[in-house]
Amino acid sequence: MMHNLALSRLGRQCDEMYNFRKGSKKSNSPLPVFMFNVAGRSMLYQYGAMNECHRVCMEEGVEYGWNVEQLKDLARCAIFNKEPQAAMKFLDILRQTSYYSDWADHMETLLNDSTLLTKDEETGPITRMMHYTDRLDAVEGYVEKSLMNALAQQDADDIYFQEQAVLAAMWTRDPSLFWPRFDHYVKLNGEENMPPRIFQEAAWLFANMEGQQGLDEWVLEPGVKESLNGFMRQLQQFSKTQNPNIRQSLYQYFGNTYYFEYFFLKNITYY
């Protein structure tokens, strides 16, 4: 999630997200360390899920005690949720600390000027993610699963948000979620403009799996159709030989495609 977030901020996610291996190294700690506790609030905030971020802040504050980072996140959530009185409460507390009064002053300027909020380096991209239905889910530790499932069921007229919605639908591997998100993205992007290659790969895979009519008329980037054909041929070949290294072998040639993601990375879960 972290490298995808970084790539999205650089405008390179659709081009490069499959160039990175999935998974992470186990923490060198005698105590259990879960991503939810280390970066859960941050991921929820960065993806614009303010209700969930606020809820986690409150639960962690009650369970583990309050700290500066929780107060900062509570202030951020209040600003984005247009709750100025709550935001000022948290900012005034932070002004009494030794090191965060300048940060509190800066956030107050954003609170009082929505134009600055949309232009700020930190908050600007997040304003474009504020299109969720106003609801509260139960993350229960599965941050990525919660965010992707929520995004995969949303549409918005902001192409930045809609790109994330399509990617989330691809993550679910559910064609019934993918097609509405993809169709809306195509309308926003302009039907004369080709969608990102990995979107085309997902559309081509799902269309073939569903046996849709008129596939011969589809116009895609060179290599998209051929790549799926080659992937399926090699998958069948390796399956017949019962090659135990089938995933590693296919990764060398198809690791940067949605086809590899769909068939081989279903069971990776981030806590």
Side-chain angles (χ1 to χ4, degrees):
M1 290 195 72
M2 292 180 181
H3 72 65
N4 284 346
L5 177 66
L7 290 171
S8 74
R9 293 292 190 267
L10 296 171
R12 293 159 42 189
Q13 185 176 359
C14 290
D15 295 325
E16 301 181 33
M17 63 181 291
Y18 292 152
N19 294 346
F20 296 80
R21 288 182 178 271
K22 290 293 186 74
S24 58
K25 188 176 181 180
K26 187 177 180 180
S27 300
N28 183 18
S29 169
L31 302 174
V33 178
F34 300 102
M35 192 276 273
F36 176 78
N37 298 117
V38 176
R41 293 199 322 269
S42 178
M43 288 295 103
L44 292 167
Y45 166 67
Q46 294 292 341
Y47 276 87
M50 299 303 162
N51 290 350
E52 282 300 315
C53 183
H54 178 90
R55 181 185 66 81
V56 175
C57 284
M58 297 298 292
E59 290 184 359
E60 290 187 352
V62 171
E63 187 169 357
Y64 305 115
W66 297 97
N67 58 52
V68 167
E69 292 305 319
Q70 290 165 354
L71 292 171
K72 291 173 70 175
D73 283 341
L74 285 168
R76 291 178 172 116
C77 291
I79 291 171
F80 276 102
N81 283 336
K82 296 181 173 57
E83 300 169 338
Q85 291 182 328
M88 288 304 302
K89 174 182 177 180
F90 301 123
L91 293 177
D92 286 341
I93 295 173
L94 288 165
R95 284 196 181 92
Q96 300 175 39
T97 65
S98 299
Y99 305 106
Y100 297 96
S101 59
D102 289 344
W103 184 90
D105 291 340
H106 172 67
M107 295 304 289
E108 185 176 357
T109 62
L110 302 184
L111 171 65
N112 295 325
D113 191 334
S114 59
T115 302
L116 293 178
L117 189 71
T118 60
K119 294 180 178 179
D120 186 78
E121 183 178 9
E122 174 192 332
T123 61
I126 300 172
T127 61
R128 303 189 66 180
M129 294 297 297
M130 300 295 295
H131 300 288
Y132 297 96
T133 303
D134 188 11
R135 65 182 187 183
L136 188 64
D137 295 316
V139 173
E140 297 180 351
Y142 296 90
V143 179
E144 183 176 41
K145 180 180 179 180
S146 175
L147 282 170
M148 295 300 104
N149 284 330
L151 269 169
Q153 301 176 61
Q154 307 280 330
D155 286 312
D157 290 335
D158 187 320
I159 197 166
Y160 183 89
F161 180 95
Q162 196 63 25
E163 179 179 284
Q164 294 301 317
V166 177
L167 290 168
M170 290 165 59
W171 185 94
T172 68
R173 298 169 172 79
D174 187 341
S176 68
L177 294 176
F178 171 78
W179 290 119
R181 310 295 85 78
F182 178 72
D183 290 344
H184 195 70
Y185 176 89
V186 170
K187 293 176 183 176
L188 293 175
N189 192 48
E191 296 187 2
E192 69 279 2
N193 299 318
M194 296 289 281
R197 184 185 178 94
I198 60 173
F199 288 11
Q200 297 178 51
E201 291 175 348
W204 185 243
L205 175 62
F206 290 140
N208 278 273
M209 291 174 62
E210 295 174 334
Q212 292 189 20
Q213 300 296 318
L215 292 179
D216 293 339
E217 301 175 2
W218 280 40
V219 178
L220 302 173
E221 285 186 11
V224 172
K225 299 179 182 180
E226 294 77 6
S227 181
L228 177 60
N229 293 336
F231 177 87
M232 298 306 297
R233 281 197 303 269
Q234 291 202 31
L235 181 62
Q236 293 173 0
Q237 179 181 346
F238 281 117
S239 298
K240 290 178 181 178
T241 60
Q242 297 182 340
N243 188 332
N245 299 317
I246 178 174
R247 184 163 76 169
Q248 185 60 36
S249 299
L250 285 171
Y251 182 81
Q252 298 178 23
Y253 301 101
F254 302 99
N256 62 345
T257 68
Y258 180 67
Y259 312 135
F260 186 89
E261 170 91 4
Y262 181 90
F263 284 99
F264 287 104
L265 299 178
K266 292 183 179 181
N267 297 321
I268 292 181
T269 303
Y270 298 87
Y271 293 89

